[in-house]
Amino acid sequence: MVGLLHQERLIIKIMETERIYFDYNASSLIRREAFNLIENINKSYGNPSSIHEEGRTMRDLIENSRVYIANSLNTNAENVIFTSGGTEAIDIALNQNPGRIIINSTEHIAVFESAKKTNSTIEILEVDENGIVNLDKLESMLQKGPALVCVMFANNETGIIQPIREISDIVKKYKSYLFCDAVQAYGKVKINFDELNIHFMALSAHKVGAFAGSGAIIINEDIKKIIPTMLGGGQEFGLRGGTENLIGITAFGECAKLIDEICAENQKLKEYINILEKNIKSFGGFIFGGNSKRLPNTSLFAFPDIKADTMLMKLDLAGYSVSSGSACSSGKVKKSHVLKAMNVDDKISSNAIRISLGWATRKSHITNLLNFFEDIFKENYIGVKSVR
Ligand code: PLP
């Protein structure tokens, strides 16, 4: 370390200490149960479509996972179709090409992009300033004719939970279809697929502690005909061709088996989010969707005078992994269409950062983060006093 500037030494010291991960909505840290599986699978091999013993062993692993995922949602295993992730599940749902698609304005970008590829007309369903879809508007839109309605269970940036039960009642009344992106909600709140009257639902394995590159579309058994996007060798009941992602699916199934435990863990995180938000407000920060029902692990907030990219860089250097809710695949901070839909001023929305907690989060991580914010504000001569 001789010859290094004081600041460089400080950065190296920070890098050497344990990092604190606050980005579970982007991707959860892999759960131990998922890792343990790799070793078991490693001892075996074979294509799950082969009729020999090795193939049959692999087939059993996949079919068991299908059952675990179905059980976690209170539905039947035949309704679970494995995909390469949430994005592909969304694409299959939108590919049903119903002629008319109504999209909630705060959906994940994948929904808008998949809808654009279809020949259907696209209409946008607005949200109020609390991020909740306007139910009267939905009803008046459906009075004009049936549609595929796309409303996510919970938003990835704000954590805001939509009233899916009421939405599905309206959709049913007008003999329409409901696609629900539950990628963020699964494992954070309990979902009863069969009771909710959802027609298509998207899930993603890497949000519940399994591996990226695996997910599922859950299809209501009332749907008799599906237009596949990938035919291939007829796998997944002919609805999604291609040799199955064995490790991805099996790890996904293993996490689904634990869904009640995972949900309970997430519910406990609400206490940490409350501590965090109480302090953020005392530092002059603003919580987005603060009046709405939200996921227990998510907080999107902004400080008036610090841009998100500046804050994210400071956090990263200090060892905290945080995102702006609206980071795109290039890692750049984009303007959030979600906050825009909630009528949030551009100036404040460009300061928004998202903390999302998960299974490895400890109370001390929150305390450390709050100390960090306090130091930042001191550095900027904004006199703040912690309420901890
Ligand atoms: N839908 C939501 C709400 C998401 O947050 C994400 C990922 O961030 C996706 C869909 C896409 O899922 P995947 O990464 O598995 O393609």
Side-chain angles (χ1 to χ4, degrees):
M1 301 264 268
V2 181
L4 290 178
L5 296 173
H6 170 71
Q7 200 176 0
E8 285 169 330
R9 279 203 300 270
L10 200 70
I11 290 170
I12 288 168
K13 192 161 178 286
I14 288 165
M15 294 298 213
E16 280 169 353
T17 57
E18 192 200 342
R19 290 188 63 84
I20 298 182
Y21 190 76
F22 285 131
D23 204 11
Y24 283 77
N25 285 12
S27 236
S28 166
L29 293 183
I30 306 291
R31 293 185 74 92
R32 229 164 284 117
E33 296 85 353
F35 268 129
N36 292 345
L37 252 172
I38 297 180
E39 209 193 320
N40 296 342
I41 290 178
N42 242 348
K43 292 186 194 128
S44 201
Y45 51 89
N47 186 318
S49 296
S50 301
I51 53 164
H52 48 63
E53 189 177 316
E54 290 82 354
R56 290 199 309 276
T57 309
M58 299 300 104
R59 170 60 50 206
D60 284 349
L61 288 173
I62 289 179
E63 296 315 317
N64 288 343
S65 299
R66 202 186 304 281
V67 170
Y68 300 144
I69 291 164
N71 289 348
S72 73
L73 295 163
N74 188 37
T75 194
N76 295 323
E78 307 82 73
N79 302 338
V80 178
I81 307 298
F82 290 114
T83 64
S84 63
T87 303
E88 190 191 336
I90 290 169
D91 205 51
I92 296 173
L94 274 291
N95 191 51
Q96 302 316 305
N97 221 357
R100 184 176 179 224
I101 304 175
I102 295 176
I103 307 180
N104 151 41
S105 54
T106 61
E107 289 298 289
H108 190 273
I109 208 72
V111 177
F112 296 98
E113 291 303 318
S114 286
K116 275 195 233 160
K117 290 191 310 184
T118 68
N119 302 323
S120 301
T121 57
I122 300 171
E123 292 164 51
I124 304 297
L125 172 62
E126 283 147 20
V127 294
D128 62 19
E129 73 278 9
N130 294 315
I132 304 294
V133 296
N134 185 329
L135 298 182
D136 293 336
K137 185 77 199 294
L138 173 62
E139 184 139 18
S140 73
M141 287 167 107
L142 288 176
Q143 276 162 358
K144 292 183 191 135
L148 172 67
V149 177
C150 306
V151 181
M152 66 204 323
F153 210 112
N155 185 266
N156 42 306
E157 295 182 26
T158 58
I160 292 170
I161 297 176
Q162 296 294 345
I164 291 297
R165 172 87 263 172
E166 283 101 313
I167 290 165
S168 80
D169 285 348
I170 297 171
V171 171
K172 191 175 176 196
K173 184 171 159 195
Y174 292 96
K175 299 191 170 33
S176 289
Y177 293 99
L178 177 60
F179 163 59
C180 180
D181 173 351
V183 163
Q184 290 294 341
Y186 183 62
K188 294 173 189 142
V189 291
K190 194 84 188 110
I191 301 175
N192 189 325
F193 181 78
D194 281 358
E195 246 181 49
L196 281 170
N197 228 326
I198 293 168
H199 296 92
F200 306 98
M201 194 168 87
L203 300 180
S204 175
H206 69 113
K207 312 291 182 178
V208 280
F211 303 110
S214 181
I217 178 162
I218 318 299
I219 303 175
N220 189 311
E221 49 209 25
D222 291 346
I223 307 276
K224 296 286 176 251
K225 195 168 171 287
I226 295 287
I227 309 165
T229 53
M230 202 146 54
L231 287 165
Q235 288 89 347
E236 295 298 296
F237 316 115
L239 299 180
R240 199 279 185 180
T243 302
E244 296 88 340
N245 171 359
L246 189 74
I247 289 183
I249 290 173
T250 319
F252 189 13
E254 215 48 34
C255 292
K257 225 187 327 179
L258 300 170
I259 211 70
D260 286 342
E261 203 180 298
I262 295 176
C263 274
E265 273 171 16
N266 270 297
Q267 287 303 327
K268 283 200 194 127
L269 297 173
K270 186 74 199 158
E271 182 202 333
Y272 300 168
I273 290 288
N274 288 342
I275 296 172
L276 176 76
E277 292 189 346
K278 187 174 162 198
N279 281 273
I280 298 291
K281 283 189 221 159
S282 80
F283 295 164
F286 178 80
I287 315 293
F288 299 102
N291 297 324
S292 305
K293 195 171 163 199
R294 284 178 295 147
L295 294 176
N297 76 319
T298 308
S299 182
L300 184 73
F301 54 87
F303 296 112
D305 300 317
I306 306 186
K307 289 265 165 275
D309 43 10
T310 309
M311 181 60 102
L312 293 180
M313 242 152 27
K314 284 179 189 283
L315 281 160
D316 189 35
L317 280 174
Y320 300 98
S321 306
V322 176
S323 282
S324 93
S326 57
C328 64
S329 54
S330 68
K332 289 208 181 95
V333 176
K334 283 194 313 170
K335 267 198 191 135
S336 164
H337 72 283
V338 174
L339 293 181
K340 195 170 165 48
M342 289 166 66
N343 217 6
V344 175
D345 191 87
D346 268 3
K347 213 164 154 238
I348 184 86
S349 96
S350 58
N351 296 2
I353 62 168
R354 178 187 68 192
I355 299 288
S356 51
L357 315 181
W359 63 268
T361 308
R362 303 284 167 264
K363 201 170 187 171
S364 60
H365 296 169
I366 304 292
T367 314
N368 289 352
L369 178 70
L370 289 169
N371 289 338
F372 165 83
F373 283 140
E374 200 168 353
D375 290 346
I376 286 274
F377 285 113
K378 272 190 202 139
E379 189 188 301
N380 284 327
Y381 306 109
I382 301 169
V384 285
K385 195 169 173 300
S386 170
V387 296
R388 287 190 307 282

